[in-house]
Amino acid sequence: MLNTDAGGGDRLALAVLAQYRMATTEQMHLVIAPGVRIEQTRRRLAKLRDEGLIERITLPQAGRTRVWFATQYGVDIAAEWPELRDRRPPKLNADPTAARLRVGHSLVVTETGLAFLQDARRHGDICRPLDWIPEVHHPLGSGEAVIPDALLYYRTSNNGGSMLRAFVEVDRATMGPERLATKLTAYARLHHYIPTPPPARPRHTISQQPPEEDWRRHYPLFPRLLFVLDGTGPTGVQNRIRALHAAASEPALADFLRTVPALAAPMTDLLRNGPSAPVWRPVQHPDQQVPWSHAPHP
């Protein structure tokens, strides 16, 4: 039997790494146990590594920072837990080399989730470590899918505690602004996508329920779209926001964006002011800056 404190810190640490893909020691500490000394988190991670549940790589260019990820063994165990059982299995960093090649983007995605988590703690809102879910697979048929960098669940403490959901795209300026803007089209396709039902056997029924969009099986409202812009300076951020605005002006996206709020913000502003600050620019009105939670569904 594994030497883990079932339901406690070891379980949460493994669940977070299985879900987040990758995190540094400091990120893990701030996610799972910010109220204790970081040495306790280091010992916990070392124990899980000794048990074969997690592994690490060291980044020499970052002051020998240690980056942790779950092994296949760890993912297989965590996948049986109720809090992770319905998650689609991640594409694993199967070995240290594969992990090293993915580390840049993965750590920025983790840092973004940590920003929302810490913001919720400061404001008395509810956003727990497992409410940040990277790479949730949303099929579009014919083998295509929309896979946001993360799905966020966030409950505010005001107005009776509204539940907010968001698809989060973390852009590190590795693609051109126009390619980033095409993601709006992908989400519009997901918004309208209705799966083709299998051929039905003849039935003597009076009526049948009409088919509905696939996302409605998972969400009462289509989640907001949040674009977090990193890896570039103010001019690059502005170019990307302009590209999103230009795409939002296309007639094919007008109906979608009248229904679903889409906003963009620089990563530097999120880390400096917190995601709840008015640092988000609606893609349809980029001259405005609003809190992401105040952009209502029409």
Side-chain angles (χ1 to χ4, degrees):
M1 176 176 287
L2 295 172
N3 181 25
T4 58
D5 51 340
D10 288 357
R11 181 185 178 111
L12 178 60
L14 179 56
V16 164
L17 282 176
Q19 184 160 293
Y20 283 35
R21 312 306 192 248
M22 304 183 79
T24 67
T25 303
E26 182 179 6
Q27 287 174 334
M28 284 295 294
H29 177 64
L30 293 174
V31 168
I32 68 172
V36 303
R37 297 178 63 185
I38 195 171
E39 286 77 10
Q40 294 186 34
T41 300
R42 291 194 181 104
R43 288 195 295 269
R44 187 181 305 282
L45 294 171
K47 181 174 67 169
L48 293 174
R49 185 184 184 222
D50 289 342
E51 294 168 336
L53 297 168
I54 67 174
E55 192 46 84
R56 74 185 185 204
I57 58 173
T58 301
L59 304 181
Q61 72 276 23
R64 299 193 63 78
T65 297
R66 290 178 173 177
V67 178
W68 302 88
F69 55 95
T71 63
Q72 183 64 62
Y73 176 46
V75 169
D76 289 344
I77 288 178
E80 295 299 320
W81 297 340
E83 58 267 38
L84 297 182
R85 193 171 293 150
D86 295 331
R87 304 281 186 256
R88 183 183 178 92
K91 293 181 179 178
L92 279 182
N93 307 295
D95 54 53
T97 299
R100 178 178 58 81
L101 294 175
R102 289 194 62 182
V103 69
H105 184 74
S106 295
L107 290 184
V108 175
V109 172
T110 296
E111 191 70 15
T112 305
L114 179 58
F116 282 98
L117 185 63
Q118 291 179 309
D119 212 38
R121 291 167 177 165
R122 284 192 295 268
H123 294 283
D125 298 333
I126 299 175
C127 182
R128 298 187 175 90
L130 297 181
D131 289 335
W132 178 259
I133 313 171
E135 299 179 21
V136 179
H137 187 274
H138 296 82
L140 288 175
S142 301
E144 296 184 82
V146 172
I147 307 175
D149 285 319
L151 167 64
L152 170 69
Y153 287 89
Y154 192 105
R155 183 175 293 278
T156 63
S157 58
N158 56 7
N159 298 325
S162 300
M163 171 57 77
L164 306 177
R165 301 167 189 82
F167 292 134
V168 183
E169 290 286 347
V170 179
D171 173 63
R172 300 181 64 230
T174 55
M175 64 178 71
E178 289 74 20
R179 281 190 61 195
L180 171 66
T182 62
K183 293 192 175 185
L184 286 173
T185 302
Y187 282 105
R189 288 181 62 198
L190 177 62
H191 186 261
H192 298 300
Y193 171 64
I194 298 176
T196 302
R201 295 180 179 178
R203 290 184 178 180
H204 300 286
T205 57
I206 298 176
S207 63
Q208 292 182 331
Q209 291 293 329
E212 63 179 13
E213 295 85 353
D214 190 58
W215 64 265
R216 296 185 186 277
R217 298 189 300 116
H218 309 284
Y219 315 110
L221 292 173
F222 196 88
R224 293 163 167 79
L225 303 183
L226 302 180
F227 292 89
V228 178
L229 308 177
D230 192 35
T232 186
T235 300
V237 167
Q238 194 62 30
N239 288 339
R240 295 174 122 60
I241 291 176
R242 276 201 294 262
L244 289 167
H245 176 62
S249 303
E250 296 177 4
L253 290 174
D255 289 342
F256 170 63
L257 292 174
R258 276 195 290 268
T259 304
V260 178
L263 309 101
M267 180 69 148
T268 52
D269 289 354
L270 260 67
L271 298 181
R272 180 171 57 246
N273 302 308
S276 63
V279 298
W280 299 90
R281 296 177 183 267
V283 299
Q284 293 168 296
H285 305 285
D287 54 326
Q288 301 177 8
Q289 288 185 277
V290 299
W292 77 277
S293 59
H294 290 187
H297 281 77

